């Protein structure tokens, strides 16, 4: 579903990604784990075709990021870091707008389906600016899933949430992971254990470990993470 081959990104002489390669198959929920500045957001922006890599190739569902970026974007639902939303818009108005961008036909039904799916019903008559951070994240997830993409790319989807909101958003993501490939980033190891089937650790732009969680204990993963990021 996702192939990343020898991706390097250099910003003004600084190497943000250094020869990163991995592939993700159907049914996987992958946590991209790394400290701040590791290169997580850069990798996600490349996969979603917001910025080009300096070197390397990536494909999503067989479409090249160079040759067919529109096809890549159609396959992906993306929740960017800091979840940019139009705060003056009403929840339904924004989701309808998002559905319009993808040219969906049954927009009204899709919007209602998403509101239900991410648990927005009690807050669905409000403006986005009136919502708590947890509910704003739900709007971001609904926006990302509205065109029923095969791949979800979520950049730090749980950062800044309180413990209750955290549990609920994890639930929504796990649920989405049942029929989508998910790549999510986090700098907190427990997040990966709570939601993912696989942990890819990056540090200083390099992929330093890649394990299926069924093959590694929590303690081993903790030790690895501390070891590589110290
Ligand atoms: P993460 O998401 O893991 O925190 P980023 O991908 O945002 O990491 O950043 C990786 C490195 O690249 C950091 O050192 C960051 O300062 C740098 N960087 C990110 N975006 C830019 C940019 N647009 N221009 C210059 N440097 C950048
Ligand atoms: Mg980031």
């Amino acid at each position: 579903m996702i192939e990343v081959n020898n991706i390097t990104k250099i910003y003004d002489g600084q190497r943000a990604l250094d020869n990163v390669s991995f592939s993700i198959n159907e049914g996987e929920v992958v946590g991209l784990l790394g400290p701040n500045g590791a290169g997580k957001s850069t990798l996600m922006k490349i996969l979603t075709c917001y910025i080009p890599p300096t070197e390397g190739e990536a494909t999503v569902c067989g479409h090249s990021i160079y040759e067919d970026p529109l096809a890549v974007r159609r396959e992906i639902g993306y929740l960017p870091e800091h979840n940019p939303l139009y705060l003056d818009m009403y929840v339904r108005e924004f989701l309808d707008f998002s559905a319009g961008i993808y040219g969906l036909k049954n927009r009204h039904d899709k919007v209602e389906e998403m509101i239900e799916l991410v648990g927005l019903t009690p807050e669905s008559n409000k403006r986005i600016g009136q919502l708590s951070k947890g509910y704003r994240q739900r709007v971001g997830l609904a926006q990302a899933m509205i065109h029923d993409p095969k791949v979800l790319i979520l950049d730090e989807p749980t950062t800044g949430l309180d413990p209750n909101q955290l549990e609920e958003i994890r639930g929504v993501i796990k649920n989405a992971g049942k029929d989508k490939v998910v790549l999510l980033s986090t700098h907190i190891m427990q997040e990966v254990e709570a939601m993912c089937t696989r942990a890819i650790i990056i540090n200083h732009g390099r992929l330093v470990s890649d394990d299926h969680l069924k093959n590694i204990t929590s303690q081993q993963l903790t030790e690895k993470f501390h070891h590589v990021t110290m």
Side-chain angles (χ1 to χ4, degrees), residues 11-12 14 16 35-43 45 81 155-156:
Y11 291 116
D12 313 319
Q14 187 199 346
N36 286 328
K40 304 180 295 295
S41 296
T42 298
L43 181 60
K45 287 177 198 162
E81 201 173 18
D155 198 351
E156 304 220 14

Side-chain angles (χ1 to χ4, degrees), residues 138 158 161-172 194:
R138 290 176 199 233
T158 56
L161 299 183
D162 71 35
N164 284 331
Q165 295 172 335
L166 192 65
E167 263 319 299
E168 288 167 6
I169 294 293
R170 281 177 180 172
V172 174

Side-chain angles (χ1 to χ4, degrees), residues 28 44 52 55 63 70 72 74 111 119 121 133 139 178 196 214-215 226 230:
E28 293 195 278
M44 290 180 154
E55 279 175 54
H63 307 293
L70 281 178
V72 169
R74 267 196 292 272
V111 169
T121 310
K133 178 127 189 359
V139 175
K178 286 179 189 158
C196 303
K214 62 175 171 13
N215 302 331
H226 283 271
M230 283 302 147

Side-chain angles (χ1 to χ4, degrees), residues 23-89:
S23 63
I24 300 178
N25 298 316
E26 201 136 356
E28 293 195 278
V29 177
V30 179
L32 192 59
L33 180 61
N36 286 328
K40 304 180 295 295
S41 296
T42 298
L43 181 60
M44 290 180 154
K45 287 177 198 162
I46 290 170
L47 286 173
T48 51
C49 308
Y50 280 86
I51 57 171
T54 308
E55 279 175 54
E57 166 70 297
T59 63
V60 176
C61 302
H63 307 293
S64 158
I65 56 166
Y66 296 109
E67 277 153 39
D68 206 348
L70 281 178
V72 169
R73 285 181 174 201
R74 267 196 292 272
E75 306 283 9
I76 292 177
Y78 178 38
L79 178 61
E81 201 173 18
H82 310 308
N83 188 14
L85 295 168
Y86 296 105
L87 300 183
D88 287 340
M89 282 178 126

